[in-house]
Amino acid sequence: MGTSFQLGDLTIHRVIEEESPLFDPLTFFPNLAPEVLEENRHWLEPQAIDPATGKLRLAIQSYVIRTPHHTILVDSCVGNHKPRAQPFWNQKTDDTWERNLAAAGYSVGDIDYVMCTHLHVDHVGWNTRLENGRWVPTFPKARYVFAEREVAHWEAARKETPNPIFEDSVLPILEAGRAELVAADHGIGDHLRLTPTPGHTPGHVAVELGKEEVTAVLTGDLIHSPLQMRYPEISMRADTDQKQSAETRRRFLECHCDTGRLLCTAHFPSPSTGHVTRWGDGFRFMATEA
Ligand SMILES: [Zn+2]
């Protein structure tokens, strides 16, 4: 399926910024028991866990959805020149994402809407770019769609703890008057709808694609690894509500299991897309061909 594919009258492109072994699984998933990791290591390696480092291999990517009416970019990765706590994301200067956007056939001027499933570091970065020492919207004509509840959460949180991510990648969009703060079930045209999936963050949304019926769904960060398909109760350390995240994940996977709908995950290793089937008490990710 590669990085671009057609679903009815929609075209979906993956625009990859990086794909690397990034995090230790037991730190990333605080409620993952070491023996469960060992039992499952054989099918997670080499794609989802890098055998050399033992780290989770994550893709960091955007999806570009071309509908008959709009070109919509979902999630905008880490971006360049931004001060970040993670050394591997701090002050990035590489052009991989920009090259891959061009390879998919788009320039930043082609994007009608940018939408973020939530407002974490690896989903908002290219919202803005540095120009003469100021953060300006990267996409010159795009409206930026954020869930109202998600923005409210981070607005409140930054009064307690400074949040450079919000300040350099979300606030300049709000101040430029380019944001649309929407309900968690908002639609863009008749081919794309948000759906509330709280837990990873309070205002997290997934994205359903398809005109009359749902043919594909973008998960955002309601799930990070195929391991959480088999065990939906495994939550990720940054989930603001670990219990709600697990409940949302199980409900979501149950809803899309054996439906033929294409799951487009934010972080699973390439090809990142696939179908959900059952596996015991959990689920299995049947990845589409790379
Ligand atoms: Zn993420």
Side-chain angles (χ1 to χ4, degrees), residues 1 21 55 62 64 79 126 146 156 169 171 214 231 243 255 257 270:
M1 217 173 225
K55 290 185 173 175
S62 304
V64 174
W126 285 102
F146 304 131
S169 301
L171 202 54
V214 178
Y231 308 104
K243 184 164 170 285
C255 170
C257 185
S270 286

Side-chain angles (χ1 to χ4, degrees), residues 142-204:
R143 303 293 298 167
Y144 287 68
V145 174
F146 304 131
E148 193 169 18
R149 182 162 184 208
E150 181 74 358
V151 172
H153 168 75
W154 293 107
E155 280 278 21
R158 82 189 182 95
K159 294 193 176 97
E160 308 292 320
T161 316
N163 179 351
I165 297 157
F166 191 91
E167 278 154 31
D168 62 35
S169 301
V170 180
L171 202 54
I173 303 298
L174 302 177
E175 288 175 348
R178 298 282 291 282
E180 293 180 12
L181 304 188
V182 302
D185 60 354
H186 178 77
I188 299 177
D190 47 12
H191 287 76
L192 183 152
R193 287 162 307 282
L194 312 185
T195 179
T197 43
H200 181 59
T201 60
H204 186 282

Side-chain angles (χ1 to χ4, degrees), residues 122-133:
D122 51 321
H123 297 260
V124 300
W126 285 102
N127 283 0
T128 57
R129 64 185 174 81
L130 199 55
E131 186 183 85
N132 301 323

Side-chain angles (χ1 to χ4, degrees), residues 208 214 217 252-261 263 276:
E208 295 180 346
V214 178
V217 58
F252 180 91
L253 295 173
E254 192 65 58
C255 170
H256 298 295
C257 185
D258 295 326
T259 57
R261 291 175 194 149
L263 239 70
V276 187

Side-chain angles (χ1 to χ4, degrees), residues 15-202:
V15 177
I16 298 171
E17 184 179 62
E18 71 167 302
E19 185 165 348
S20 332
L22 290 176
F23 299 105
D24 170 66
L26 295 174
T27 315
F28 197 74
F29 297 122
N31 67 341
L32 169 60
E35 54 275 21
V36 173
L37 176 61
E38 289 319 311
E39 269 168 43
N40 290 277
R41 187 181 291 280
H42 67 280
W43 66 269
L44 292 165
E45 289 184 347
Q47 279 91 3
I49 289 185
D50 173 51
T53 59
K55 290 185 173 175
L56 288 170
R57 180 190 292 280
L58 299 187
I60 308 295
Q61 59 195 330
S62 304
Y63 283 91
V64 174
I65 316 298
R66 174 80 196 132
T67 79
H69 312 292
H70 301 117
T71 303
I72 301 154
L73 183 122
V74 179
D75 288 337
S76 63
C77 302
V78 175
N80 274 353
H81 310 300
K82 301 198 162 175
R84 296 295 181 249
Q86 297 87 348
F88 43 81
W89 287 341
N90 187 39
Q91 301 287 356
K92 273 168 70 86
T93 54
D94 78 85
D95 63 354
T96 310
W97 183 88
E98 290 164 298
R99 280 190 291 104
N100 286 337
L101 183 67
Y106 299 97
S107 73
V108 291
D110 293 328
I111 304 299
D112 300 305
Y113 290 97
V114 175
M115 74 111 353
C116 300
T117 57
H118 63 298
L119 302 181
H120 275 163
V121 54
D122 51 321
H123 297 260
V124 300
W126 285 102
N127 283 0
T128 57
R129 64 185 174 81
L130 199 55
E131 186 183 85
N132 301 323
R134 289 181 58 238
W135 295 108
V136 300
T138 301
F139 306 91
K141 72 172 186 191
R143 303 293 298 167
Y144 287 68
V145 174
F146 304 131
E148 193 169 18
R149 182 162 184 208
E150 181 74 358
V151 172
H153 168 75
W154 293 107
E155 280 278 21
R158 82 189 182 95
K159 294 193 176 97
E160 308 292 320
T161 316
N163 179 351
I165 297 157
F166 191 91
E167 278 154 31
D168 62 35
S169 301
V170 180
L171 202 54
I173 303 298
L174 302 177
E175 288 175 348
R178 298 282 291 282
E180 293 180 12
L181 304 188
V182 302
D185 60 354
H186 178 77
I188 299 177
D190 47 12
H191 287 76
L192 183 152
R193 287 162 307 282
L194 312 185
T195 179
T197 43
H200 181 59
T201 60

